[in-house]
Amino acid sequence: MQLAKPIHVKSLAERFTLKLAGNEDLWITGINEIHKVRRGDLIFVDAPKYYAKSLQSAASCILIPEAVSCPEGKTLLICDAPFEIYNQLVQENRPRRTQRTVISDTAWIHPTATVEANAIIGHFAVVGANSIIGANAVIGEFTVIGNGVTIQPGAIIGTDAFYYKKTAQGYRKWRAGGRVVIHDDVEIGAGCTINKGVSGDTVIGRGTKLDCQVHIGHGAVLGQNCLLAAQVGIAGKTVVGDRVVMYGQVGVAQNLTIGDDVTLYAKSGVGKDLEAGKTYFGAPCGEAREMMREMAALRNLARGQQHKPPSGAH
Amino acid sequence: MQLAKPIHVKSLAERFTLKLAGNEDLWITGINEIHKVRRGDLIFVDAPKYYAKSLQSAASCILIPEAVSCPEGKTLLICDAPFEIYNQLVQENRPRRTQRTVISDTAWIHPTATVEANAIIGHFAVVGANSIIGANAVIGEFTVIGNGVTIQPGAIIGTDAFYYKKTAQGYRKWRAGGRVVIHDDVEIGAGCTINKGVSGDTVIGRGTKLDCQVHIGHGAVLGQNCLLAAQVGIAGKTVVGDRVVMYGQVGVAQNLTIGDDVTLYAKSGVGKDLEAGKTYFGAPCGEAREMMREMAALRNLARGQQHKPPSGAH
Amino acid sequence: MQLAKPIHVKSLAERFTLKLAGNEDLWITGINEIHKVRRGDLIFVDAPKYYAKSLQSAASCILIPEAVSCPEGKTLLICDAPFEIYNQLVQENRPRRTQRTVISDTAWIHPTATVEANAIIGHFAVVGANSIIGANAVIGEFTVIGNGVTIQPGAIIGTDAFYYKKTAQGYRKWRAGGRVVIHDDVEIGAGCTINKGVSGDTVIGRGTKLDCQVHIGHGAVLGQNCLLAAQVGIAGKTVVGDRVVMYGQVGVAQNLTIGDDVTLYAKSGVGKDLEAGKTYFGAPCGEAREMMREMAALRNLARGQQHKPPSGAH
């Protein structure tokens, strides 16, 4: 997430009484997690095994528990509980606002858009031209909806990321600073749920169509003109190409890349990256023709064992 | 869908400047897609491989791109873009109406029916005697709900069919002219979604019970006294017999026929027609006892390979 | 369920003209089904194969169709249709109340709790300190929500159990007398559905987090600090331990026990009890490493058959 107003690293060090190493004159322009980081961003790291990755990332300022060697031009802020300061900064820049009215005063709705009865339009949400928000749908805070989009009744867009930090006291929730961005000509079916990104955006590409009860996790990015049948689930941060077709009840794990023009047959489960243009099946899935061959081999095996004469019968 | 007022084929030919072949004095009484067609209906066809099926169907009038030979008594309307005219006629006869109020003025609700807080009753919807529409449920336009039906809170009935025509410019949506028809004594669980038929009806038979988060696709027809457990999905136009039992998370593909008294164990995936009275399991499913045999064979195989001594150890 | 006011067995016998055997001076303090029964409870049994289990249970009073031998201290009420009397008693003690207003007058909401726009708070529901009920969520009658709980928008809690008695005339619904009880620091994702218990409670343990579109069946009990990813389904009366992790689209059948610290990989289907601390995979699931071995064996088998030279080619 971009900050509305940059923060100077010295003001941060003073405020939280942190030791500062490296660049003492840096303005932080955004807050991100490691997966989405850009120059100017502040990130945090608290496990030594991720130190190198964090220090070599595009991040300009790193909250870190130890005074390690600082790459040129970057700033380290040494602190006992990096996540706590990170999460507090996100919360201050994205304070939780209660949705007291059906349509927020801070939302912007194009005059040609249609909002049906009891649909909720959240704080700072945007609804584009000729778009339709169905009855009882929920459009969460900061959601951006393009032109010609149809959100069927009862869909729930822009809810919190399912993202927690494990601590000795239980799971601590990350405040999600990301958004859901829905491009032009998209359709979202009844009962779909789409989570906000943790620090980046969840994106549905132009012309893509979702049937009912599809779930899209935090920070996932779908390409253009995809078709997702009912009850499909895409986990967090997975990137799906253009013109991908998923039949009913397919599930895709997190952090994967699905190539353009992939077809996934019904109920497939995806646990690894998939190559463009191919057709997959099974859980865990493989190329469809290989999976068909495996199924045939198993059928033959079972029949063979069944018909095998008892030993000594020859 | 039936037309409220028949259309004469000559008026259609004049209005869209189409060449007319065959019967010049026909009144069109309905508009349908090929799967649901009846005598008096207008259909369209735009792919030569479906010409024969369309011409031999019950349809009385066919929008078609070529002047083929016309069967006796039928009317051909020759046009460059049959789907566009078809879709425009459906839209004219089923114009989209925004749901501005919680209960539509055009809905009819039996005096003994109960509609809970914030439930939406759509345009021209009908709710029968002693039926209960739970809080925050959505009953879409033209839905027919019988007597003694319970719709649990948050169920979403009668939303658009997930049905698109692929074009060079992306997916074009068919305007759904069908309805959802729910017979007496049915129960629909919280969070269920049921799509309207594209041109025919989606039907839930008398006494059938759906648990939460079940999805029923456009034009599917369920028989009487079925039990569908949570998170089951039935794709478009599939026909399910009476007394069918589906355990949780079963998925059934489109255009299939499931016989009476079939039982499907949890998580089964159905890709072909199923015979009455049998029990199935697996994805793709087979008869339960065969699938159990295959599972046992695989378990034996894996154990055998594990215990096989390395070659040369004899 | 506990009765608000105890019922004396003699008054019950007189009212329904039932023959009474055994203890003639018993006060019934609760009504339960056999799975949840406690001392003082009334239960019913109508199938001879369950007579022994019912008579030896903790129940104090049993509605039964035959005058069998009565265990010491218990009361038998002999009647032709035990279920009908049982269900009528539940309905009298838990009469169905229509949810006419968005927030029931009989609900109790802590002053520090937040209820967003159009959320429904049912009759006799309780919402604890600092809890948040998201927009358009539905909190059903008698639901108890602890402190620091977040219910995301559009979640539907405390709907009817999916529980029917099969009769010659079709499925008869049991009136659910149980509740949903959600402990402190729980999060429930958008579009989740949680059913009430039939006679006991459905329980979500402290600190447990549910992603979107999770379904929890009637009377299921989840432990503390569990993580359930999107589209997971847990069937009725299953007991899940502490710190259990279920990845997306896992399904667990009814009446099972899942041990502490179990991990279930995505799309697993659970049909038997699972041992604490282990990792499972597959549908039906086995220990993950065994399932991986089976998958490898099948892949080898299919490749072997493919590459096998035609007979006589040597």
Side-chain angles (χ1 to χ4, degrees):
Chain A
M1 56 177 289
Q2 287 295 105
L3 292 172
K5 221 172 66 175
I7 304 172
H8 198 279
V9 288
K10 272 204 166 160
S11 74
L12 216 53
E14 276 169 32
R15 180 178 166 204
F16 293 104
T17 332
L18 309 173
K19 212 188 131 211
L20 187 155
N23 189 344
E24 296 193 3
D25 188 19
L26 181 82
W27 289 91
I28 298 163
T29 55
I31 305 176
N32 266 317
E33 19 147 25
I34 184 73
H35 310 270
K36 298 274 182 177
V37 74
R38 289 177 300 191
R39 198 189 151 106
D41 284 350
L42 170 141
I43 61 168
F44 83 91
V45 63
D46 50 11
K49 65 175 170 176
Y50 295 125
Y51 282 4
K53 190 178 176 189
S54 301
L55 293 166
Q56 289 151 24
S57 76
S60 296
C61 178
I62 299 120
L63 291 160
I64 190 165
E66 289 179 65
V68 297
S69 148
C70 181
E72 171 125 21
K74 302 199 177 196
T75 308
L76 302 187
L77 293 169
I78 293 96
C79 53
D80 292 339
F83 172 71
E84 298 302 322
I85 294 174
Y86 166 92
N87 214 28
Q88 184 173 335
L89 290 173
V90 177
Q91 282 174 33
E92 286 173 5
N93 283 275
R94 285 281 161 91
R96 197 184 186 288
R97 290 169 176 86
T98 298
Q99 182 79 31
R100 297 205 186 278
T101 57
V102 174
I103 297 182
S104 168
D105 290 345
T106 61
W108 185 88
I109 301 168
H110 193 280
T112 60
T114 301
V115 178
E116 293 198 331
N118 281 357
I120 305 286
I121 310 292
H123 304 301
F124 304 103
V126 171
V127 180
N130 300 310
S131 288
I132 298 166
I133 312 299
N136 277 13
V138 177
I139 309 301
E141 50 169 14
F142 296 102
T143 300
V144 177
I145 293 178
N147 303 320
V149 170
T150 299
I151 309 289
Q152 294 283 330
I156 309 163
I157 317 287
T159 51
D160 289 356
F162 188 68
Y163 211 67
Y164 299 91
K165 192 167 173 57
K166 199 174 183 175
T167 72
Q169 290 75 44
Y171 292 103
R172 288 280 319 272
K173 186 175 188 172
W174 294 45
R175 168 66 182 161
R179 308 173 300 172
V180 174
V181 176
I182 297 180
H183 286 265
D184 296 350
D185 303 324
V186 164
E187 301 225 356
I188 306 289
C192 285
T193 53
I194 307 183
N195 287 343
K196 286 188 283 198
V198 174
S199 62
D201 293 333
T202 307
V203 178
I204 313 293
R206 182 181 181 129
T208 284
K209 317 291 188 190
L210 274 56
D211 199 354
C212 298
Q213 295 187 37
V214 170
H215 172 71
I216 308 291
H218 59 86
V221 175
L222 270 65
Q224 298 186 9
N225 292 312
C226 296
L227 284 184
L228 274 60
Q231 299 176 324
V232 162
I234 312 280
K237 301 206 189 80
T238 280
V239 177
V240 176
D242 295 335
R243 298 172 303 279
V244 169
V245 175
M246 299 190 193
Y247 285 82
Q249 298 181 337
V250 162
V252 184
Q254 55 190 359
N255 297 321
L256 301 180
T257 301
I258 310 299
D260 294 341
D261 300 296
V262 160
T263 297
L264 277 156
Y265 289 154
K267 278 188 170 288
S268 293
V270 184
K272 53 173 193 195
D273 293 351
L274 298 184
E275 283 178 50
K278 291 189 172 172
T279 298
Y280 296 87
F281 176 61
C285 75
E287 273 199 74
R289 57 187 174 193
E290 282 176 29
M291 298 307 280
M292 300 300 175
R293 213 177 284 137
E294 289 188 15
M295 283 164 46
L298 179 55
R299 207 173 306 127
N300 286 335
L301 177 74
R303 284 183 188 157
Q305 293 192 348
Q306 187 186 1
H307 297 134
K308 209 189 306 186
S311 63
H314 288 267
Chain B
M1 56 177 288
Q2 287 296 105
L3 293 172
K5 218 172 68 176
I7 304 172
H8 197 277
V9 289
K10 271 203 166 160
S11 74
L12 216 52
E14 276 168 32
R15 180 180 165 201
F16 292 103
T17 332
L18 309 175
K19 211 186 134 212
L20 188 154
N23 188 346
E24 296 192 3
D25 188 19
L26 181 82
W27 289 92
I28 298 163
T29 54
I31 305 176
N32 266 317
E33 20 150 23
I34 183 73
H35 311 268
K36 298 277 183 174
V37 73
R38 290 177 299 191
R39 196 188 153 109
D41 284 350
L42 171 141
I43 62 167
F44 83 91
V45 63
D46 51 11
K49 66 175 170 176
Y50 296 126
Y51 282 4
K53 190 179 176 188
S54 300
L55 293 165
Q56 287 152 25
S57 77
S60 295
C61 177
I62 299 120
L63 291 160
I64 191 166
E66 288 179 66
V68 297
S69 150
C70 180
E72 172 125 20
K74 301 199 175 195
T75 309
L76 303 187
L77 293 169
I78 293 96
C79 52
D80 291 339
F83 171 71
E84 298 302 322
I85 293 174
Y86 166 92
N87 215 28
Q88 184 172 335
L89 290 174
V90 177
Q91 282 174 32
E92 286 172 7
N93 283 276
R94 283 281 162 90
R96 196 185 187 286
R97 290 171 177 86
T98 298
Q99 182 80 31
R100 297 206 187 278
T101 56
V102 174
I103 297 182
S104 168
D105 290 345
T106 61
W108 184 88
I109 300 168
H110 192 281
T112 60
T114 300
V115 178
E116 293 198 330
N118 282 355
I120 305 286
I121 309 291
H123 304 302
F124 304 103
V126 171
V127 179
N130 301 310
S131 288
I132 299 167
I133 312 299
N136 278 12
V138 177
I139 308 301
E141 51 170 13
F142 296 103
T143 300
V144 177
I145 293 178
N147 304 321
V149 170
T150 299
I151 310 289
Q152 293 283 330
I156 310 163
I157 317 287
T159 51
D160 290 356
F162 189 69
Y163 210 68
Y164 299 91
K165 191 169 173 57
K166 199 175 183 174
T167 73
Q169 289 76 42
Y171 291 103
R172 288 282 318 274
K173 186 173 188 173
W174 292 46
R175 169 65 183 160
R179 308 173 298 172
V180 174
V181 176
I182 296 180
H183 286 263
D184 297 351
D185 302 323
V186 164
E187 301 225 356
I188 307 289
C192 285
T193 53
I194 307 183
N195 287 342
K196 286 188 282 196
V198 175
S199 61
D201 292 333
T202 306
V203 179
I204 313 293
R206 181 180 183 130
T208 284
K209 317 291 187 190
L210 275 56
D211 199 353
C212 298
Q213 296 187 37
V214 170
H215 173 69
I216 308 291
H218 58 86
V221 175
L222 269 65
Q224 298 186 8
N225 292 312
C226 295
L227 283 184
L228 275 61
Q231 299 176 324
V232 162
I234 312 280
K237 300 206 188 80
T238 280
V239 177
V240 176
D242 296 336
R243 297 171 304 278
V244 169
V245 175
M246 300 191 193
Y247 285 82
Q249 300 182 336
V250 163
V252 184
Q254 55 190 358
N255 296 320
L256 301 180
T257 301
I258 310 298
D260 294 341
D261 299 295
V262 160
T263 297
L264 277 156
Y265 288 155
K267 279 190 170 288
S268 293
V270 184
K272 55 175 192 195
D273 293 350
L274 298 185
E275 283 177 50
K278 291 188 172 170
T279 298
Y280 296 87
F281 176 61
C285 75
E287 274 199 72
R289 56 185 175 196
E290 282 176 29
M291 298 306 281
M292 299 299 174
R293 210 177 285 138
E294 289 188 14
M295 283 164 47
L298 178 55
R299 208 172 306 126
N300 286 335
L301 177 74
R303 284 182 188 160
Q305 292 191 349
Q306 187 186 359
H307 298 135
K308 209 189 305 188
S311 64
H314 290 268
Chain C
M1 54 178 289
Q2 287 295 105
L3 292 172
K5 220 172 67 176
I7 304 172
H8 198 278
V9 290
K10 270 203 167 161
S11 75
L12 215 54
E14 275 167 32
R15 180 179 164 202
F16 292 103
T17 331
L18 309 174
K19 211 187 134 212
L20 188 154
N23 189 345
E24 296 193 3
D25 188 19
L26 182 82
W27 289 91
I28 298 164
T29 55
I31 305 176
N32 267 317
E33 17 146 27
I34 183 73
H35 309 269
K36 298 274 182 178
V37 75
R38 290 178 298 192
R39 196 188 152 106
D41 285 349
L42 170 140
I43 62 168
F44 84 91
V45 62
D46 50 11
K49 65 175 169 176
Y50 295 125
Y51 282 4
K53 190 179 176 189
S54 301
L55 293 166
Q56 287 151 24
S57 77
S60 296
C61 177
I62 299 121
L63 291 159
I64 191 165
E66 288 180 65
V68 297
S69 149
C70 181
E72 171 123 21
K74 302 200 176 195
T75 308
L76 302 187
L77 293 169
I78 293 96
C79 52
D80 292 339
F83 172 71
E84 298 302 322
I85 293 175
Y86 166 92
N87 215 29
Q88 184 173 335
L89 289 174
V90 177
Q91 282 174 33
E92 287 173 6
N93 283 276
R94 283 282 161 91
R96 197 186 185 287
R97 290 169 177 86
T98 299
Q99 182 79 31
R100 298 208 184 275
T101 57
V102 174
I103 297 182
S104 168
D105 291 345
T106 60
W108 185 88
I109 301 168
H110 193 279
T112 61
T114 301
V115 178
E116 294 197 330
N118 282 356
I120 304 287
I121 310 292
H123 304 302
F124 304 103
V126 172
V127 180
N130 301 310
S131 289
I132 298 168
I133 312 298
N136 278 13
V138 177
I139 309 302
E141 51 171 12
F142 297 103
T143 299
V144 177
I145 293 179
N147 303 322
V149 171
T150 299
I151 310 288
Q152 294 282 329
I156 310 161
I157 317 287
T159 51
D160 289 355
F162 188 69
Y163 211 68
Y164 299 91
K165 191 167 173 59
K166 199 174 184 175
T167 72
Q169 290 76 44
Y171 291 103
R172 287 282 319 274
K173 186 174 188 171
W174 293 45
R175 168 66 182 161
R179 309 173 299 172
V180 174
V181 176
I182 297 179
H183 286 263
D184 297 350
D185 303 323
V186 164
E187 301 225 357
I188 306 289
C192 285
T193 53
I194 306 183
N195 287 342
K196 286 187 282 196
V198 174
S199 61
D201 292 333
T202 306
V203 179
I204 313 293
R206 182 181 182 130
T208 284
K209 317 291 186 188
L210 275 55
D211 199 353
C212 299
Q213 296 187 38
V214 169
H215 173 69
I216 307 291
H218 58 86
V221 176
L222 269 65
Q224 298 186 8
N225 293 312
C226 296
L227 283 185
L228 275 60
Q231 299 177 324
V232 162
I234 311 280
K237 300 205 190 82
T238 279
V239 177
V240 176
D242 295 336
R243 298 171 304 279
V244 170
V245 175
M246 300 191 192
Y247 285 82
Q249 299 182 336
V250 162
V252 184
Q254 55 191 358
N255 297 320
L256 300 180
T257 301
I258 310 298
D260 294 341
D261 300 295
V262 160
T263 297
L264 277 155
Y265 289 156
K267 280 190 169 288
S268 293
V270 185
K272 54 173 191 196
D273 292 351
L274 298 185
E275 282 177 51
K278 292 189 172 172
T279 298
Y280 296 88
F281 175 61
C285 76
E287 273 200 75
R289 57 188 174 193
E290 281 177 29
M291 298 307 280
M292 300 299 175
R293 211 177 287 139
E294 289 188 14
M295 283 164 46
L298 179 55
R299 207 172 308 127
N300 286 336
L301 177 74
R303 284 182 187 159
Q305 292 192 349
Q306 186 187 1
H307 297 135
K308 209 188 307 188
S311 63
H314 289 267

